[in-house]
Amino acid sequence: MKSSVAAVLRAFDDGRDRSELYRGWRAGLSAGLTHPTILAQVGAHGGATRALRDHLLAGTTRGEDITTLVRKAPHLLEPFESALLRMGEESGQLETTLIALADFHMRQYKLLLAVKRWLSYPMFVSLVAVVITPLPLAFQGRTTLYFIAAGSGLALWFAAGGLLLARLAQRYQRRPGFVRARFARTLALTIGAGLTLPRAVTLAAEASGDPALVRHVRQFSERTLSTQSLQQTLAGAPVMTPELEGALLVAEQTGDFATSIGRLADLYEDGFR
């Protein structure tokens, strides 16, 4: 886990960076360029997205396919993202997959902006506390000792405060509205991309970031997940609400998950709870 404040704040921007990577990659494919040529030209900032771009560039330059490279780097991709990239290449629909992933990551980046705003207050309070707490030393005329204490506290805050921020961010992201938004968006994306129902609902649960939802889905075998309705699978799950149940009913009856579940995901991302 990243420990510095700067590293944690930087990680919040990875969704924007990944969206830009996928959009540039898709544009290059549309122009008929090869993977190495595209990836060498597509910019990527630091962090996981830069590591992913470098990994793909090195591998495609050696002649390896995307499926092989994705399997080699599970730490750089979310499980649903890896599955979609593999399926996109194998089905000849990589361009469509890339634009869908680009849209997904941009939406997630916008969601995380709310997390950053929520974290701004505890960050400010803790930073002020580091400076104010040793003030009695200055009042006692021990200014050198005060500056040493305050300076050490600030250094520790910037170097290790990210651990606290990461835990606070994780706590925020497990709020019901955030979990439902991630679940609904991933479910619509994976089913729309053609993944099987068991695989899609399992990946959506993992992408939600809610351990309770993951445990709920994992209690069912793949056979059960493929034969029972999503309403039955999610009955009693922490993510379930009347509007989600209704959207699932419509989606399963019409076969159009992008419209019903996708629109509900839009509402969740806009703040509907």
Side-chain angles (χ1 to χ4, degrees):
M1 181 182 291
K2 298 176 179 66
S3 61
S4 72
V5 172
V8 171
L9 293 178
R10 179 71 190 79
F12 287 141
D13 295 331
D14 191 65
R16 178 196 59 197
D17 299 342
R18 191 150 302 200
S19 178
E20 293 174 356
L21 171 65
Y22 287 143
R23 287 189 189 281
W25 191 358
R26 186 258 182 179
L29 289 178
S30 297
L33 302 177
T34 63
H35 293 311
T37 301
I38 299 168
L39 294 168
Q41 296 176 358
V42 174
H45 302 285
T49 296
R50 179 59 178 271
L52 175 61
R53 194 284 303 269
D54 292 347
H55 170 70
L56 293 172
L57 175 58
T60 54
T61 300
R62 293 191 301 267
E64 296 181 78
D65 57 47
I66 300 301
T67 297
T68 299
L69 293 170
V70 165
R71 291 185 185 279
K72 287 182 177 180
H75 59 292
L76 298 177
L77 297 150
E78 292 197 43
F80 81 91
E81 190 176 11
S82 175
L84 290 181
L85 285 172
R86 295 198 308 269
M87 185 171 182
E89 183 180 53
E90 293 167 359
S91 64
Q93 299 182 25
L94 186 57
E95 286 188 45
T96 302
T97 300
L98 289 173
I99 198 63
L101 286 172
D103 290 342
F104 175 88
H105 282 290
M106 182 53 67
R107 289 176 181 276
Q108 297 309 300
Y109 167 68
K110 291 178 180 179
L111 280 179
L112 286 174
L113 290 179
V115 180
K116 292 177 73 172
R117 289 193 294 269
W118 184 76
L119 288 175
S120 62
Y121 179 72
M123 286 173 62
F124 174 76
V125 171
S126 62
L127 185 59
V128 170
V130 168
V131 177
I132 291 180
T133 300
L135 268 179
L137 295 174
F139 297 149
Q140 297 169 11
R142 304 161 70 182
T143 54
T144 300
L145 189 57
Y146 165 76
F147 283 114
I148 292 175
S152 299
L154 287 172
L156 181 62
W157 188 90
F158 281 104
L163 292 174
L164 175 60
L165 291 181
R167 290 192 178 96
L168 288 173
Q170 187 178 59
R171 178 181 176 184
Y172 183 95
Q173 291 178 68
R174 288 181 179 173
R175 289 183 172 187
F178 198 100
V179 168
R180 292 187 190 109
R182 291 270 295 183
F183 176 78
R185 178 63 61 194
T186 309
L187 185 63
L189 177 60
T190 50
I191 291 180
L195 268 64
T196 63
L197 185 58
R199 187 65 173 148
V201 70
T202 299
L203 291 173
E206 293 175 356
S208 74
D210 184 3
L213 179 56
V214 173
R215 288 193 298 271
H216 178 87
V217 172
R218 285 181 177 173
Q219 70 179 309
F220 300 106
S221 67
E222 183 173 351
R223 175 182 171 80
T224 300
L225 290 174
S226 63
T227 55
Q228 69 182 12
S229 68
L230 277 173
Q231 285 182 296
Q232 291 175 302
T233 297
L234 296 174
V239 73
M240 207 60 168
T241 57
E243 70 276 358
L244 180 55
E245 184 176 2
L248 288 173
L249 176 61
V250 172
E252 291 189 306
Q253 289 180 343
T254 63
D256 185 0
F257 283 82
T259 299
S260 55
I261 303 300
R263 287 180 179 174
L264 184 58
D266 290 339
L267 291 174
Y268 285 141
E269 289 163 353
D270 289 338
F272 175 69
R273 298 294 179 264

